[in-house]
Short mmCIF file of all heavy atoms in Angstrom, two decimals:
data_model
loop_
_atom_site.label_atom_id
_atom_site.label_comp_id
_atom_site.label_asym_id
_atom_site.label_seq_id
_atom_site.Cartn_x
_atom_site.Cartn_y
_atom_site.Cartn_z
N MET A 1 -7.78 36.21 5.13
CA MET A 1 -8.40 35.08 5.77
C MET A 1 -9.70 34.78 5.03
O MET A 1 -10.54 35.65 4.82
CB MET A 1 -8.67 35.40 7.23
CG MET A 1 -9.25 34.18 7.95
SD MET A 1 -9.86 34.42 9.61
CE MET A 1 -8.66 35.30 10.45
N GLY A 2 -9.86 33.54 4.65
CA GLY A 2 -11.07 33.12 3.94
C GLY A 2 -12.19 32.79 4.90
O GLY A 2 -12.01 32.70 6.13
N TRP A 3 -13.34 32.58 4.34
CA TRP A 3 -14.52 32.28 5.17
C TRP A 3 -14.36 30.94 5.87
O TRP A 3 -14.86 30.74 6.98
CB TRP A 3 -15.81 32.36 4.37
CG TRP A 3 -15.92 31.27 3.33
CD1 TRP A 3 -15.47 31.27 2.06
CD2 TRP A 3 -16.53 30.00 3.53
NE1 TRP A 3 -15.72 30.10 1.44
CE2 TRP A 3 -16.38 29.27 2.31
CE3 TRP A 3 -17.15 29.34 4.60
CZ2 TRP A 3 -16.86 28.00 2.15
CZ3 TRP A 3 -17.63 28.07 4.43
CH2 TRP A 3 -17.48 27.40 3.22
N LEU A 4 -13.68 29.99 5.22
CA LEU A 4 -13.47 28.68 5.85
C LEU A 4 -12.59 28.76 7.08
O LEU A 4 -12.82 28.06 8.06
CB LEU A 4 -12.90 27.72 4.81
CG LEU A 4 -12.94 26.23 5.16
CD1 LEU A 4 -14.38 25.78 5.43
CD2 LEU A 4 -12.37 25.41 4.05
N ASP A 5 -11.59 29.63 6.99
CA ASP A 5 -10.74 29.85 8.17
C ASP A 5 -11.52 30.46 9.32
O ASP A 5 -11.28 30.11 10.49
CB ASP A 5 -9.58 30.80 7.84
CG ASP A 5 -8.52 30.12 6.98
OD1 ASP A 5 -8.41 28.89 7.06
OD2 ASP A 5 -7.80 30.83 6.26
N ARG A 6 -12.47 31.33 9.02
CA ARG A 6 -13.29 31.89 10.11
C ARG A 6 -14.22 30.85 10.72
O ARG A 6 -14.47 30.89 11.91
CB ARG A 6 -14.11 33.06 9.57
CG ARG A 6 -13.26 34.31 9.37
CD ARG A 6 -14.10 35.39 8.86
NE ARG A 6 -14.33 35.10 7.45
CZ ARG A 6 -14.58 35.98 6.53
NH1 ARG A 6 -14.72 37.24 6.85
NH2 ARG A 6 -14.74 35.64 5.27
N VAL A 7 -14.68 29.89 9.89
CA VAL A 7 -15.57 28.86 10.41
C VAL A 7 -14.81 27.80 11.19
O VAL A 7 -15.19 27.41 12.30
CB VAL A 7 -16.37 28.23 9.24
CG1 VAL A 7 -17.18 27.02 9.73
CG2 VAL A 7 -17.27 29.23 8.59
N LEU A 8 -13.74 27.29 10.58
CA LEU A 8 -13.01 26.18 11.20
C LEU A 8 -11.84 26.60 12.06
O LEU A 8 -11.38 25.81 12.87
CB LEU A 8 -12.49 25.26 10.10
CG LEU A 8 -13.57 24.60 9.24
CD1 LEU A 8 -12.92 23.77 8.12
CD2 LEU A 8 -14.49 23.72 10.06
N GLY A 9 -11.34 27.78 11.89
CA GLY A 9 -10.20 28.23 12.61
C GLY A 9 -8.97 28.18 11.72
O GLY A 9 -8.99 27.67 10.62
N ASP A 10 -7.87 28.72 12.21
CA ASP A 10 -6.64 28.80 11.44
C ASP A 10 -5.91 27.49 11.52
O ASP A 10 -5.54 27.01 12.60
CB ASP A 10 -5.80 29.95 12.00
CG ASP A 10 -4.57 30.21 11.13
OD1 ASP A 10 -4.54 29.73 9.99
OD2 ASP A 10 -3.67 30.90 11.64
N ASP A 11 -5.64 26.86 10.35
CA ASP A 11 -4.95 25.59 10.31
C ASP A 11 -3.53 25.68 10.81
O ASP A 11 -3.02 24.79 11.45
CB ASP A 11 -4.93 25.02 8.89
CG ASP A 11 -6.29 24.46 8.50
OD1 ASP A 11 -7.09 24.15 9.38
OD2 ASP A 11 -6.51 24.32 7.28
N ARG A 12 -2.87 26.79 10.53
CA ARG A 12 -1.47 26.91 10.96
C ARG A 12 -1.40 27.02 12.49
O ARG A 12 -0.53 26.41 13.11
CB ARG A 12 -0.82 28.14 10.32
CG ARG A 12 -0.64 27.98 8.84
CD ARG A 12 -0.07 29.21 8.24
NE ARG A 12 -0.12 29.15 6.80
CZ ARG A 12 0.92 29.13 6.04
NH1 ARG A 12 2.12 29.21 6.56
NH2 ARG A 12 0.82 29.02 4.72
N GLN A 13 -2.32 27.73 13.07
CA GLN A 13 -2.33 27.84 14.53
C GLN A 13 -2.67 26.48 15.14
O GLN A 13 -2.10 26.07 16.15
CB GLN A 13 -3.35 28.90 14.97
CG GLN A 13 -3.37 29.12 16.47
CD GLN A 13 -2.04 29.60 17.01
OE1 GLN A 13 -1.31 30.34 16.33
NE2 GLN A 13 -1.70 29.22 18.19
N ARG A 14 -3.63 25.76 14.56
CA ARG A 14 -4.01 24.43 15.05
C ARG A 14 -2.83 23.47 14.92
O ARG A 14 -2.59 22.68 15.83
CB ARG A 14 -5.19 23.91 14.24
CG ARG A 14 -5.77 22.64 14.84
CD ARG A 14 -6.95 22.09 14.11
NE ARG A 14 -7.95 23.08 13.87
CZ ARG A 14 -8.53 23.30 12.68
NH1 ARG A 14 -8.19 22.57 11.65
NH2 ARG A 14 -9.43 24.23 12.54
N ALA A 15 -2.08 23.56 13.83
CA ALA A 15 -0.93 22.70 13.66
C ALA A 15 0.13 22.98 14.73
O ALA A 15 0.79 22.05 15.21
CB ALA A 15 -0.34 22.88 12.27
N LYS A 16 0.29 24.22 15.10
CA LYS A 16 1.29 24.57 16.13
C LYS A 16 0.87 24.08 17.50
O LYS A 16 1.71 23.75 18.33
CB LYS A 16 1.49 26.08 16.16
CG LYS A 16 2.24 26.61 14.99
CD LYS A 16 2.40 28.11 15.13
CE LYS A 16 3.03 28.73 13.87
NZ LYS A 16 3.08 30.19 13.95
N THR A 17 -0.43 24.07 17.79
CA THR A 17 -0.86 23.74 19.14
C THR A 17 -1.38 22.31 19.27
O THR A 17 -0.83 21.50 20.00
CB THR A 17 -1.97 24.70 19.58
OG1 THR A 17 -3.05 24.65 18.66
CG2 THR A 17 -1.45 26.13 19.65
N GLN A 18 -2.38 21.97 18.52
CA GLN A 18 -3.09 20.68 18.68
C GLN A 18 -2.25 19.51 18.19
O GLN A 18 -2.24 18.45 18.80
CB GLN A 18 -4.40 20.71 17.95
CG GLN A 18 -5.27 19.47 18.18
CD GLN A 18 -6.63 19.59 17.53
OE1 GLN A 18 -6.94 20.60 16.91
NE2 GLN A 18 -7.41 18.57 17.62
N TYR A 19 -1.53 19.67 17.07
CA TYR A 19 -0.81 18.58 16.46
C TYR A 19 0.68 18.64 16.72
O TYR A 19 1.45 17.98 16.06
CB TYR A 19 -1.08 18.54 14.96
CG TYR A 19 -2.55 18.38 14.64
CD1 TYR A 19 -3.21 19.35 13.93
CD2 TYR A 19 -3.22 17.27 15.04
CE1 TYR A 19 -4.56 19.22 13.65
CE2 TYR A 19 -4.58 17.11 14.75
CZ TYR A 19 -5.21 18.08 14.05
OH TYR A 19 -6.56 17.95 13.77
N GLN A 20 1.10 19.43 17.69
CA GLN A 20 2.51 19.59 17.98
C GLN A 20 3.12 18.27 18.49
O GLN A 20 2.54 17.60 19.33
CB GLN A 20 2.71 20.64 19.04
CG GLN A 20 4.12 20.97 19.34
CD GLN A 20 4.25 22.06 20.35
OE1 GLN A 20 3.30 22.41 21.04
NE2 GLN A 20 5.44 22.61 20.48
N GLY A 21 4.22 17.91 17.91
CA GLY A 21 4.91 16.67 18.32
C GLY A 21 4.43 15.41 17.63
O GLY A 21 4.99 14.34 17.83
N ARG A 22 3.38 15.51 16.83
CA ARG A 22 2.89 14.33 16.12
C ARG A 22 3.48 14.25 14.74
O ARG A 22 3.78 15.25 14.11
CB ARG A 22 1.36 14.38 16.02
CG ARG A 22 0.70 14.24 17.37
CD ARG A 22 -0.79 14.34 17.26
NE ARG A 22 -1.34 13.33 16.35
CZ ARG A 22 -2.62 13.25 16.03
NH1 ARG A 22 -3.47 14.12 16.50
NH2 ARG A 22 -3.04 12.33 15.23
N GLU A 23 3.64 13.04 14.24
CA GLU A 23 4.21 12.82 12.92
C GLU A 23 3.13 13.04 11.87
O GLU A 23 2.01 12.52 11.98
CB GLU A 23 4.74 11.38 12.85
CG GLU A 23 5.54 11.06 11.64
CD GLU A 23 6.13 9.67 11.71
OE1 GLU A 23 5.44 8.76 12.19
OE2 GLU A 23 7.28 9.52 11.28
N SER A 24 3.46 13.79 10.82
CA SER A 24 2.47 14.03 9.77
C SER A 24 2.35 12.82 8.87
O SER A 24 3.18 11.91 8.92
CB SER A 24 2.89 15.26 8.95
OG SER A 24 4.02 14.94 8.16
N ALA A 25 1.32 12.81 8.03
CA ALA A 25 1.09 11.70 7.14
C ALA A 25 2.23 11.54 6.14
O ALA A 25 2.68 10.43 5.83
CB ALA A 25 -0.23 11.85 6.41
N SER A 26 2.76 12.66 5.63
CA SER A 26 3.87 12.58 4.68
C SER A 26 5.14 12.10 5.36
O SER A 26 5.94 11.33 4.78
CB SER A 26 4.11 13.90 3.99
OG SER A 26 4.37 14.89 4.96
N GLU A 27 5.37 12.49 6.61
CA GLU A 27 6.54 11.99 7.33
C GLU A 27 6.41 10.51 7.62
O GLU A 27 7.39 9.79 7.54
CB GLU A 27 6.68 12.77 8.65
CG GLU A 27 7.14 14.20 8.46
CD GLU A 27 7.09 14.99 9.78
OE1 GLU A 27 6.44 14.52 10.73
OE2 GLU A 27 7.67 16.06 9.80
N THR A 28 5.20 10.05 7.92
CA THR A 28 4.96 8.62 8.18
C THR A 28 5.25 7.81 6.91
O THR A 28 5.94 6.78 6.95
CB THR A 28 3.52 8.39 8.63
OG1 THR A 28 3.26 9.16 9.79
CG2 THR A 28 3.29 6.92 8.95
N ALA A 29 4.74 8.28 5.78
CA ALA A 29 4.96 7.58 4.52
C ALA A 29 6.44 7.53 4.15
O ALA A 29 6.96 6.49 3.72
CB ALA A 29 4.17 8.23 3.40
N ALA A 30 7.16 8.64 4.35
CA ALA A 30 8.60 8.67 4.03
C ALA A 30 9.36 7.72 4.96
O ALA A 30 10.28 7.02 4.50
CB ALA A 30 9.11 10.11 4.18
N ARG A 31 9.00 7.71 6.23
CA ARG A 31 9.67 6.82 7.19
C ARG A 31 9.45 5.35 6.79
O ARG A 31 10.36 4.54 6.79
CB ARG A 31 9.17 7.06 8.60
CG ARG A 31 9.82 6.16 9.64
CD ARG A 31 9.31 6.46 11.04
NE ARG A 31 7.88 6.55 11.15
CZ ARG A 31 7.06 5.50 11.26
NH1 ARG A 31 7.55 4.29 11.22
NH2 ARG A 31 5.74 5.69 11.38
N LYS A 32 8.23 5.01 6.40
CA LYS A 32 7.93 3.62 6.00
C LYS A 32 8.68 3.24 4.72
O LYS A 32 9.12 2.10 4.58
CB LYS A 32 6.45 3.42 5.83
CG LYS A 32 5.72 3.41 7.19
CD LYS A 32 4.29 3.11 7.04
CE LYS A 32 3.65 3.06 8.41
NZ LYS A 32 2.24 2.64 8.35
N ARG A 33 8.82 4.17 3.78
CA ARG A 33 9.57 3.90 2.57
C ARG A 33 11.04 3.65 2.90
O ARG A 33 11.64 2.71 2.38
CB ARG A 33 9.48 5.09 1.60
CG ARG A 33 8.35 5.05 0.66
CD ARG A 33 8.51 6.05 -0.46
NE ARG A 33 8.79 7.40 0.00
CZ ARG A 33 7.86 8.31 0.32
NH1 ARG A 33 6.60 7.97 0.26
NH2 ARG A 33 8.19 9.50 0.73
N ARG A 34 11.60 4.48 3.77
CA ARG A 34 12.99 4.27 4.18
C ARG A 34 13.18 2.94 4.88
O ARG A 34 14.14 2.22 4.62
CB ARG A 34 13.45 5.40 5.13
CG ARG A 34 13.74 6.70 4.43
CD ARG A 34 14.45 7.68 5.36
NE ARG A 34 13.74 7.89 6.60
CZ ARG A 34 12.81 8.83 6.81
NH1 ARG A 34 12.49 9.64 5.83
NH2 ARG A 34 12.24 8.97 7.97
N GLU A 35 12.28 2.58 5.78
CA GLU A 35 12.38 1.33 6.52
C GLU A 35 12.27 0.14 5.56
O GLU A 35 13.01 -0.85 5.70
CB GLU A 35 11.31 1.26 7.59
CG GLU A 35 11.55 2.19 8.76
CD GLU A 35 10.39 2.22 9.73
OE1 GLU A 35 9.33 1.62 9.45
OE2 GLU A 35 10.50 2.90 10.76
N GLY A 36 11.35 0.23 4.60
CA GLY A 36 11.22 -0.85 3.63
C GLY A 36 12.45 -0.98 2.75
O GLY A 36 12.91 -2.10 2.43
N HIS A 37 13.04 0.14 2.36
CA HIS A 37 14.26 0.08 1.55
C HIS A 37 15.41 -0.54 2.33
O HIS A 37 16.12 -1.41 1.82
CB HIS A 37 14.63 1.49 1.11
CG HIS A 37 15.94 1.54 0.38
ND1 HIS A 37 16.09 1.06 -0.88
CD2 HIS A 37 17.14 2.01 0.75
CE1 HIS A 37 17.37 1.22 -1.23
NE2 HIS A 37 18.01 1.80 -0.26
N ARG A 38 15.53 -0.15 3.58
CA ARG A 38 16.62 -0.71 4.40
C ARG A 38 16.43 -2.20 4.58
O ARG A 38 17.38 -2.98 4.54
CB ARG A 38 16.63 -0.03 5.76
CG ARG A 38 17.25 1.33 5.74
CD ARG A 38 17.46 1.88 7.13
NE ARG A 38 17.82 3.27 7.09
CZ ARG A 38 17.10 4.27 7.61
NH1 ARG A 38 15.96 3.97 8.24
NH2 ARG A 38 17.47 5.47 7.50
N ALA A 39 15.17 -2.64 4.77
CA ALA A 39 14.93 -4.05 4.97
C ALA A 39 15.27 -4.85 3.70
O ALA A 39 15.85 -5.95 3.77
CB ALA A 39 13.45 -4.28 5.36
N ARG A 40 14.94 -4.30 2.53
CA ARG A 40 15.28 -4.97 1.26
C ARG A 40 16.78 -5.04 1.06
O ARG A 40 17.30 -6.05 0.60
CB ARG A 40 14.63 -4.27 0.08
CG ARG A 40 13.18 -4.61 -0.12
CD ARG A 40 12.66 -4.09 -1.42
NE ARG A 40 12.77 -2.64 -1.55
CZ ARG A 40 11.92 -1.78 -1.03
NH1 ARG A 40 10.88 -2.19 -0.34
NH2 ARG A 40 12.09 -0.49 -1.20
N VAL A 41 17.49 -3.95 1.40
CA VAL A 41 18.95 -3.95 1.23
C VAL A 41 19.57 -4.96 2.16
O VAL A 41 20.48 -5.71 1.74
CB VAL A 41 19.51 -2.53 1.47
CG1 VAL A 41 21.03 -2.59 1.57
CG2 VAL A 41 19.10 -1.61 0.36
N PHE A 42 19.11 -5.04 3.39
CA PHE A 42 19.68 -6.01 4.35
C PHE A 42 19.35 -7.42 3.90
O PHE A 42 20.17 -8.33 4.02
CB PHE A 42 19.16 -5.77 5.76
CG PHE A 42 19.69 -4.55 6.40
CD1 PHE A 42 18.92 -3.79 7.25
CD2 PHE A 42 20.97 -4.12 6.17
CE1 PHE A 42 19.42 -2.67 7.86
CE2 PHE A 42 21.49 -2.99 6.76
CZ PHE A 42 20.68 -2.25 7.61
N ARG A 43 18.16 -7.63 3.37
CA ARG A 43 17.74 -8.98 2.97
C ARG A 43 18.37 -9.43 1.68
O ARG A 43 18.91 -10.53 1.59
CB ARG A 43 16.21 -9.01 2.82
CG ARG A 43 15.64 -10.38 2.48
CD ARG A 43 14.17 -10.32 2.19
NE ARG A 43 13.96 -9.55 0.95
CZ ARG A 43 13.03 -8.66 0.78
NH1 ARG A 43 12.17 -8.41 1.77
NH2 ARG A 43 12.89 -8.02 -0.35
N ASP A 44 18.37 -8.58 0.64
CA ASP A 44 18.79 -8.98 -0.69
C ASP A 44 20.19 -8.54 -1.07
O ASP A 44 20.71 -8.98 -2.07
CB ASP A 44 17.81 -8.42 -1.74
CG ASP A 44 16.41 -8.91 -1.51
OD1 ASP A 44 16.22 -9.97 -0.88
OD2 ASP A 44 15.45 -8.23 -1.97
N GLY A 45 20.75 -7.64 -0.35
CA GLY A 45 22.07 -7.11 -0.68
C GLY A 45 21.94 -5.80 -1.43
O GLY A 45 20.90 -5.46 -1.96
N ASP A 46 23.04 -5.09 -1.48
CA ASP A 46 23.02 -3.75 -2.05
C ASP A 46 22.87 -3.76 -3.57
O ASP A 46 22.34 -2.84 -4.15
CB ASP A 46 24.32 -3.02 -1.64
CG ASP A 46 24.15 -1.54 -1.68
OD1 ASP A 46 23.03 -1.06 -1.74
OD2 ASP A 46 25.16 -0.83 -1.61
N GLN A 47 23.36 -4.77 -4.24
CA GLN A 47 23.33 -4.83 -5.69
C GLN A 47 22.20 -5.67 -6.24
O GLN A 47 22.17 -5.96 -7.45
CB GLN A 47 24.68 -5.37 -6.21
CG GLN A 47 25.88 -4.54 -5.79
CD GLN A 47 25.83 -3.16 -6.39
OE1 GLN A 47 25.43 -2.98 -7.53
NE2 GLN A 47 26.21 -2.17 -5.60
N ALA A 48 21.27 -6.07 -5.44
CA ALA A 48 20.16 -6.91 -5.88
C ALA A 48 19.30 -6.18 -6.91
O ALA A 48 19.01 -4.99 -6.76
CB ALA A 48 19.29 -7.35 -4.71
N GLY A 49 18.88 -6.88 -7.92
CA GLY A 49 18.04 -6.29 -8.95
C GLY A 49 18.78 -5.59 -10.04
O GLY A 49 18.19 -5.13 -11.00
N GLN A 50 20.08 -5.52 -9.96
CA GLN A 50 20.89 -4.88 -11.01
C GLN A 50 21.61 -5.97 -11.79
O GLN A 50 22.46 -6.70 -11.25
CB GLN A 50 21.91 -3.93 -10.37
CG GLN A 50 21.25 -2.77 -9.66
CD GLN A 50 22.31 -1.85 -9.07
OE1 GLN A 50 23.48 -2.05 -9.24
NE2 GLN A 50 21.87 -0.84 -8.40
N LYS A 51 21.28 -6.08 -13.05
CA LYS A 51 21.92 -7.09 -13.89
C LYS A 51 23.17 -6.48 -14.50
O LYS A 51 23.28 -5.27 -14.72
CB LYS A 51 20.95 -7.51 -15.00
CG LYS A 51 19.75 -8.25 -14.46
CD LYS A 51 18.64 -8.31 -15.49
CE LYS A 51 18.84 -9.35 -16.51
NZ LYS A 51 17.70 -9.46 -17.44
N PHE A 52 24.09 -7.35 -14.82
CA PHE A 52 25.29 -6.91 -15.50
C PHE A 52 24.95 -6.48 -16.91
O PHE A 52 24.32 -7.24 -17.64
CB PHE A 52 26.33 -8.03 -15.50
CG PHE A 52 27.57 -7.67 -16.26
CD1 PHE A 52 28.44 -6.73 -15.76
CD2 PHE A 52 27.85 -8.26 -17.47
CE1 PHE A 52 29.59 -6.37 -16.45
CE2 PHE A 52 28.99 -7.92 -18.19
CZ PHE A 52 29.86 -6.98 -17.67
N ARG A 53 25.32 -5.29 -17.28
CA ARG A 53 25.04 -4.77 -18.62
C ARG A 53 26.30 -4.72 -19.39
O ARG A 53 26.88 -3.66 -19.64
CB ARG A 53 24.37 -3.41 -18.53
CG ARG A 53 23.03 -3.47 -17.85
CD ARG A 53 22.42 -2.10 -17.82
NE ARG A 53 22.33 -1.58 -19.16
CZ ARG A 53 21.27 -0.96 -19.65
NH1 ARG A 53 20.22 -0.81 -18.90
NH2 ARG A 53 21.26 -0.49 -20.86
N GLY A 54 26.79 -5.87 -19.78
CA GLY A 54 28.02 -5.95 -20.55
C GLY A 54 27.74 -6.07 -22.02
O GLY A 54 26.66 -5.75 -22.52
N ARG A 55 28.73 -6.60 -22.75
CA ARG A 55 28.62 -6.76 -24.20
C ARG A 55 27.64 -7.92 -24.49
O ARG A 55 27.71 -8.98 -23.87
CB ARG A 55 29.97 -7.08 -24.77
CG ARG A 55 29.96 -7.24 -26.24
CD ARG A 55 31.38 -7.32 -26.75
NE ARG A 55 31.32 -7.47 -28.20
CZ ARG A 55 31.66 -8.58 -28.84
NH1 ARG A 55 32.14 -9.60 -28.17
NH2 ARG A 55 31.56 -8.64 -30.13
N ARG A 56 26.75 -7.72 -25.42
CA ARG A 56 25.81 -8.78 -25.78
C ARG A 56 26.32 -9.55 -27.00
O ARG A 56 26.84 -8.97 -27.92
CB ARG A 56 24.46 -8.17 -26.15
CG ARG A 56 23.81 -7.50 -24.98
CD ARG A 56 22.47 -6.98 -25.37
NE ARG A 56 21.88 -6.26 -24.27
CZ ARG A 56 20.78 -5.53 -24.42
NH1 ARG A 56 20.22 -5.39 -25.55
NH2 ARG A 56 20.29 -4.92 -23.37
N ASP A 57 26.11 -10.83 -26.96
CA ASP A 57 26.50 -11.67 -28.09
C ASP A 57 25.23 -11.95 -28.90
O ASP A 57 24.27 -12.55 -28.37
CB ASP A 57 27.12 -12.96 -27.64
CG ASP A 57 28.49 -12.74 -27.03
OD1 ASP A 57 29.21 -11.84 -27.51
OD2 ASP A 57 28.82 -13.45 -26.04
N TRP A 58 25.21 -11.53 -30.13
CA TRP A 58 24.00 -11.71 -30.96
C TRP A 58 24.19 -12.86 -31.94
O TRP A 58 23.75 -12.79 -33.08
CB TRP A 58 23.72 -10.42 -31.75
CG TRP A 58 23.40 -9.28 -30.86
CD1 TRP A 58 24.21 -8.29 -30.46
CD2 TRP A 58 22.15 -8.99 -30.25
NE1 TRP A 58 23.59 -7.42 -29.61
CE2 TRP A 58 22.28 -7.83 -29.47
CE3 TRP A 58 20.88 -9.64 -30.24
CZ2 TRP A 58 21.25 -7.28 -28.75
CZ3 TRP A 58 19.87 -9.10 -29.50
CH2 TRP A 58 20.04 -7.92 -28.78
N THR A 59 24.81 -13.88 -31.54
CA THR A 59 25.07 -15.01 -32.45
C THR A 59 23.93 -15.98 -32.49
O THR A 59 23.04 -16.02 -31.73
CB THR A 59 26.34 -15.75 -32.04
OG1 THR A 59 26.18 -16.20 -30.70
CG2 THR A 59 27.55 -14.86 -32.20
#
């Protein structure tokens, strides 16, 4: 245990008690990314942004 843990308390214990049931910042960011992706897929379609990469004519 470091001196900061003695001053502020144990973060793991605080996470189990004080922040129990709350969404973490990383979970919030991941959820917003998923929601934004779903909204773009519903709006633009699944294949939006993908160009056909066929044979090129260099004439």
Side-chain angles (χ1 to χ4, degrees):
M1 183 189 314
W3 67 273
L4 195 57
D5 286 335
R6 284 181 284 206
V7 173
L8 298 176
D10 187 15
D11 284 341
R12 291 176 191 245
Q13 184 62 32
R14 188 179 310 132
K16 288 180 185 176
T17 58
Q18 186 176 359
Y19 300 119
Q20 184 178 15
R22 292 179 58 185
E23 190 175 39
S24 70
S26 59
E27 289 171 344
T28 303
R31 180 178 49 80
K32 288 185 178 185
R33 271 193 308 273
R34 284 192 306 271
E35 289 172 354
H37 174 72
R38 285 189 190 117
R40 279 191 301 279
V41 169
F42 289 146
R43 183 186 67 222
D44 300 337
D46 204 13
Q47 300 296 320
Q50 297 180 2
K51 294 164 79 176
F52 176 70
R53 295 180 57 135
R55 181 171 180 249
R56 295 183 184 169
D57 291 325
W58 296 100
T59 58

